[in-house]
Amino acid sequence: MGESSDSVSVDVERFSFGGKEHHVLTRHGPLSVCVYGDLEKPALVTYPDVALDYMACFQGLFFCPEGVSLLLHNFCIYHVNPPGHELGAVAISSCDPLLSGDQLADQIADVLDFFGLYSVMCLGVTAGAYVLTLFSSKYKERVCGLILVSPLCKTPSWKEWLSNKVMSNILYFYGMCGLIKEWLIQRYFSKEICGSWQAPESEIVLDGRQSSNIWRFLQSMNDRCDLTDALKKLQCRTLIFVGEHSPFHSDALYMAAKMDGKYIALVEVQACGSLVTEEQPLAMLITMEYFLAGYGLHRPSQLNCSPRSPLSPSHISPELLSPESMGVKLKPIKTRISLEV
C-alpha cells in the first residue's frame, strides 16, 4: 500500500463478484473502491455515471469473455464509485458540503496515493468521464491514457441545466421514484432498449441507491466548469466512444474537435445511447484492442517491461490515433436478448 497522510483504508473482508472492496478516506470524504486482479499489473481506474455503481455501469464490458481476455488479463482494475453510490452506502450527512468537480478529481489522486499508483489508464462514462478528464488535466503526469464514453466537457446547456434542476428537486423531495428512474434510463440507453425494458429491469439498475447521494453528485455535475481550455493542453492519448442516440452526442463531438488531433480518436456507435459499456460492449472492444496494443498490451498480455512500471505508449501508430481513420461509425451489434412481455 502507498503511504499518504490524507488517505486511510477501513479493512473490510468484503468481496464483490471476485473483487475486494476498500473504503478509502480521501481529503474530501470516503470512497468505495473495488479492486479486481493482480496488483502487479498496470492500473485501470474506472468511474461511472450518475446513479450507477461500477457493477451497473461496467459489468457488460468487463464480464463478457472478450472483455475478460483483453481487460482483466492486462490490468488490475480499480473501480471507483462516486461518493455514496456503492450498494449499501449510508446517506452522506446534509452538513457535508457539496463537492466541486475539482474536489472529485482530487479524490482520484488520493485513491492513487493510497494504492501506491503513479501513472494509470482511465475509463469513465458521462459524468465519470468528466471527473477523469478533469483529473487528467490537473494531474497530467499521472494519466497515460483516457477511454471516455459519452463524455461531458462543457458547462451544462440551458436545456440540460433546467432538466437536471427539475429532476434534482423531484429526487430531493420524492427520492428514487418512477419518474426519476425513467429519466435516468433515457439518459443511459437508446430508445430501442428503453422500449423493450420493463420496470423490474430498471429497478435492478437503480434500486438500492441513496437518493440523497445521487442528488449530491447530480448537483456537482450541474455546477461543473468548462474544460475546453484544458482540453487544448491535454496530451494523453484519448479514445472517445459515443452512442449516436446519446443525449450527450454533441458534447462528445465538441470534445473531440477541441483536442489535439494527434492524440484523439472518436468512435460513434450506431443504435446506441450513452451507456455503450452496457448496451453494446462488443462495439468498444474491437477498437480498444488496437488502442491498447500501442501500449504493448495484447490478448494475451505480452509486457516487455516491468508490469508495475507506467505504461509506455512509445509505438502507437499514427493511423490509430487519426480521427480520419478512427472516427467511423460501427454497425449495430446486438448484445442483449430482447425481453418478451
Side-chain angles (χ1 to χ4, degrees):
M1 297 296 182
E3 295 182 359
S4 171
S5 59
D6 294 312
S7 302
V8 298
S9 173
V10 178
D11 261 344
V12 286
E13 290 300 323
R14 180 175 176 182
F15 292 81
S16 177
F17 296 93
K20 185 175 182 180
E21 183 181 12
H22 300 261
H23 292 168
V24 179
L25 182 60
T26 74
R27 73 192 89 168
H28 302 299
L31 284 181
S32 168
V33 182
C34 199
V35 181
Y36 285 76
D38 184 351
L39 297 176
E40 294 303 311
K41 291 184 178 180
L44 173 63
V45 175
T46 76
Y47 207 104
D49 193 17
V50 171
L52 299 177
D53 65 356
Y54 76 94
M55 281 298 297
C57 192
F58 296 109
Q59 63 178 334
L61 177 64
F62 280 92
F63 294 109
C64 65
E66 296 85 353
V68 170
S69 62
L70 178 63
L71 299 173
L72 293 177
H73 192 78
N74 285 293
F75 291 102
C76 183
I77 316 296
Y78 297 81
H79 290 296
V80 181
N81 291 307
H85 274 50
E86 68 276 13
L87 287 176
V90 299
I92 299 173
S93 172
S94 58
C95 298
D96 291 348
L98 294 176
L99 298 184
S100 66
D102 278 301
Q103 291 170 324
L104 292 170
D106 290 340
Q107 286 186 317
I108 303 297
D110 291 343
V111 168
L112 267 57
D113 288 343
F114 171 74
F115 288 106
L117 305 173
Y118 183 71
S119 182
V120 301
M121 185 76 69
C122 293
L123 167 61
V125 176
T126 312
Y130 176 87
V131 174
L132 292 178
T133 303
L134 180 54
F135 168 71
S136 67
S137 69
K138 292 188 67 176
Y139 301 89
K140 294 181 176 63
E141 71 285 355
R142 307 198 71 170
V143 179
C144 61
L146 281 172
I147 303 172
L148 307 175
V149 181
S150 304
L152 305 172
C153 67
K154 298 186 293 183
T155 56
S157 65
W158 279 108
K159 181 180 179 181
E160 183 194 347
W161 184 89
L162 183 59
S163 175
N164 287 348
K165 275 294 182 184
V166 171
M167 291 302 158
S168 291
N169 288 338
I170 295 173
L171 189 62
Y172 185 85
F173 289 107
Y174 299 102
M176 189 61 74
C177 61
L179 183 60
I180 292 293
K181 291 179 183 179
E182 181 180 354
W183 177 70
L184 288 170
I185 290 296
Q186 291 176 357
R187 174 188 176 99
Y188 306 143
F189 298 107
S190 65
K191 292 181 180 179
E192 289 82 357
I193 291 292
C194 291
S196 65
W197 279 28
Q198 306 301 317
E201 283 67 42
S202 66
E203 290 173 0
I204 290 173
V205 174
L206 298 171
D207 276 359
R209 320 287 178 199
Q210 285 285 349
S211 57
S212 60
N213 297 347
I214 296 171
W215 175 85
R216 296 173 68 89
F217 190 28
L218 187 58
Q219 289 288 97
S220 297
M221 288 299 101
N222 219 27
D223 294 332
R224 66 181 185 266
C225 299
D226 193 323
L227 301 182
T228 300
D229 290 339
L231 293 178
K232 298 173 182 177
K233 303 174 184 177
L234 199 61
Q235 293 188 344
C236 68
R237 290 164 172 83
T238 303
L239 179 58
I240 295 178
F241 294 93
V242 63
E244 68 171 347
H245 298 311
S246 168
F248 310 105
H249 182 267
S250 61
D251 295 75
L253 299 185
Y254 173 88
M255 182 174 184
K258 293 299 179 182
M259 297 183 72
D260 190 327
K262 295 183 295 184
Y263 300 101
I264 179 69
L266 171 68
V267 177
E268 297 178 74
V269 184
Q270 290 184 340
C272 193
S274 295
L275 201 59
V276 187
T277 52
E278 286 296 300
E279 194 169 347
Q280 293 203 41
L282 295 182
M284 296 181 61
L285 287 164
I286 298 169
T287 311
M288 287 173 65
E289 186 167 6
Y290 284 103
F291 181 75
L292 295 176
Y295 293 84
L297 300 177
H298 301 279
R299 190 193 334 227
S301 176
Q302 295 292 336
L303 294 177
N304 297 321
C305 57
S306 170
R308 190 59 171 175
S309 64
L311 299 175
S312 177
S314 57
H315 55 280
I316 281 189
S317 64
E319 292 79 11
L320 173 62
L321 293 171
S322 166
E324 291 77 12
S325 299
M326 289 285 290
V328 296
K329 290 192 175 183
L330 299 179
K331 294 181 180 180
I333 299 175
K334 187 174 182 180
T335 58
R336 292 183 180 274
I337 298 174
S338 298
L339 300 175
E340 295 184 359
V341 180

